[in-house]
Amino acid sequence: MITLFKKQLLITLGIAAASVFAFNSQSVQSVSAASSKPLTFGDITNNNLHRMGTIRQLTRSQLAEDHKLTGKQVQQLVYLPLPKRLTAHNFTLSQTHLTIHLVKNAYNVSRVAIPLNKLTGIILNRYMPKQYDYVKPKTPKKVVSLTFDDGPDPTLTPKLLKILKHYNVHATFFEVGSSVMKYPSTSRLVLKYGDQLGNHSWNHPQLTNLSSTSALHQIALTDAAIYKATGTLPQYVRPPYGAINSRVGNLFDRPIIQWSVDSRDWAYLNTPKTVSHVLATTHNGSIILMHDIHPTSVAAVPQIIKTLKKRGYTFVLLPNLIQRPLLSGLQYFGRGDYRGV
């Protein structure tokens, strides 16, 4: 009897060990060895809807990267049927990719494979190979991020990019889709200089005053313009005037970038006043809002950079400022200051 019990125990342990080996060494269907139930989005995201929304947007971006889409197809990406419930389990997790299995759709695509290096910090570490574990980026003690709205401008934006390059500073440009359509080469130049692009709507309305359909159309049109110009989809959205609510904020699966320092360059249209205001209100972890469509604003940038550097600040892009993955449906005002919508 004891011998039989030992044999059964060894068989059980052997099956469990084989299950663990299969998960760690080869592409697998998302199955928990302990429960034999499929892994869900809730399991791999710690039941976090913001992480799940981020995965949805990464699915759209990867589809656009893998397949050359028309502008109309990019506009329709926001309507791609993707799971919203944390209990959904239509994915496969391997050592290299998270593959999303799609239902029938207008793109005739049955699956989208997202490389795991894009999911670091989105999927929990325990479900990822060790090389993809999320590690908080190390940054200097005093950091700020520069952001510019309302471009691209065919003259001022290239001039600003040269200034930023001269001082070895990178920034995020939140562009208006109608201007991207007019000046696509300027948008491409932003990426060429190593800076980031964000979505700032099609023609700068207050999104909260629009119907959900119209607000989403503003974002989708701008996605299409940026994709046509650069071949990429913008990772972030900045709503015009910073106006957002839960109805609008939950329409698109992206981080919402606000600010903690409003340069008021749009009101002053005066270089010394803009410089003075930014220097007086900037603190560690600030996101600084400026515009690359006013000559007085662009002229203020060298003095702002030089003075803040003398004060010990380092200019970093948003992921290094926030020091954590930026998630869908959250508003980011600066380091340590993020909120739901």
Side-chain angles (χ1 to χ4, degrees):
M1 189 73 175
I2 294 174
T3 303
L4 178 61
F5 173 77
K6 286 182 177 179
K7 183 180 292 186
Q8 290 173 333
L9 179 61
L10 288 171
I11 291 171
T12 302
L13 291 173
I15 292 171
S19 298
V20 172
F21 175 78
F23 181 83
N24 287 329
S25 64
Q26 55 186 305
S27 188
V28 295
Q29 182 65 33
S30 304
V31 176
S32 167
S35 64
S36 296
K37 292 181 180 179
L39 284 174
T40 66
F41 284 104
D43 293 326
I44 65 173
T45 65
N46 199 28
N47 291 312
N48 188 306
L49 287 170
H50 299 295
R51 291 183 180 184
M52 186 174 179
T54 305
I55 292 173
R56 284 196 297 269
Q57 184 57 24
L58 285 170
T59 303
R60 298 183 185 100
S61 295
Q62 193 65 47
L63 191 155
E65 183 179 322
D66 293 343
H67 305 273
K68 187 173 177 59
L69 303 182
T70 66
K72 191 70 174 177
Q73 286 176 317
V74 174
Q75 291 178 44
Q76 294 301 311
L77 276 174
V78 292
Y79 301 109
L80 182 69
L82 292 169
K84 293 190 175 182
R85 294 181 181 275
L86 290 165
T87 53
H89 50 82
N90 59 317
F91 63 86
T92 302
L93 187 59
S94 78
Q95 290 292 292
T96 56
H97 291 82
L98 174 72
T99 300
I100 309 297
H101 303 283
L102 303 179
V103 298
K104 187 176 180 180
N105 57 78
Y107 302 89
N108 292 319
V109 174
S110 61
R111 62 189 63 195
V112 176
I114 308 168
L116 292 187
N117 61 7
K118 296 182 180 181
L119 291 155
T120 295
I122 310 300
I123 293 178
L124 297 179
N125 282 355
R126 66 174 173 269
Y127 295 108
M128 300 275 271
K130 190 165 182 60
Q131 68 264 36
Y132 300 119
D133 281 359
Y134 180 73
V135 178
K136 186 168 77 171
K138 293 181 180 179
T139 60
K141 290 184 178 179
K142 296 175 69 175
V143 292
V144 291
S145 280
L146 274 176
T147 65
F148 297 92
D149 285 9
D150 295 356
D153 181 276
T155 302
L156 293 176
T157 304
K159 182 178 180 179
L160 174 58
L161 290 169
K162 290 177 182 177
I163 291 171
L164 294 175
K165 183 178 181 181
H166 176 76
Y167 291 101
N168 195 27
V169 167
H170 293 292
T172 305
F173 290 75
F174 290 94
E175 297 193 330
V176 175
S178 56
S179 294
V180 176
M181 188 66 75
K182 291 178 183 176
Y183 312 114
S185 61
T186 306
S187 294
R188 287 193 292 274
L189 197 61
V190 171
L191 296 184
K192 183 178 179 180
Y193 272 76
D195 299 287
Q196 293 182 321
L197 287 176
N199 185 318
H200 196 44
S201 81
W202 178 255
N203 58 0
H204 212 277
Q206 184 165 321
L207 298 178
T208 51
N209 288 341
L210 303 180
S211 68
S212 295
T213 299
S214 295
L216 191 55
H217 194 51
Q218 284 277 330
I219 301 302
L221 278 173
T222 304
D223 280 350
I226 291 175
Y227 178 82
K228 185 175 180 180
T230 68
T232 64
L233 290 180
Q235 297 180 52
Y236 313 125
V237 169
R238 171 171 280 167
Y241 314 106
I244 199 72
N245 56 26
S246 59
R247 175 180 65 86
V248 173
N250 289 320
L251 291 174
F252 43 84
D253 292 315
R254 263 164 284 189
I256 299 156
I257 309 302
Q258 302 281 15
W259 58 86
S260 48
V261 174
D262 182 352
S263 67
R264 293 190 59 79
D265 58 349
W266 53 272
Y268 295 135
L269 296 179
N270 178 290
T271 296
K273 284 187 177 182
T274 297
V275 171
S276 177
H277 187 85
V278 171
L279 296 180
T281 54
T282 295
H283 54 82
N284 187 27
S286 290
I287 296 175
I288 301 171
L289 166 63
M290 298 187 70
H291 297 80
D292 56 329
I293 59 170
H294 306 305
T296 51
S297 303
V298 173
V301 171
Q303 189 62 43
I304 290 170
I305 291 175
K306 286 188 289 186
T307 303
L308 288 178
K309 281 190 171 185
K310 285 180 181 178
R311 294 180 182 178
Y313 286 95
T314 299
F315 291 83
V316 297
L317 288 172
L318 293 168
N320 281 342
L321 183 87
I322 302 302
Q323 288 192 302
R324 62 178 61 209
L326 280 74
L327 299 179
S328 158
L330 291 178
Q331 300 182 79
Y332 294 88
F333 295 83
R335 176 175 282 186
D337 187 359
Y338 58 94
R339 318 161 201 174
V341 293

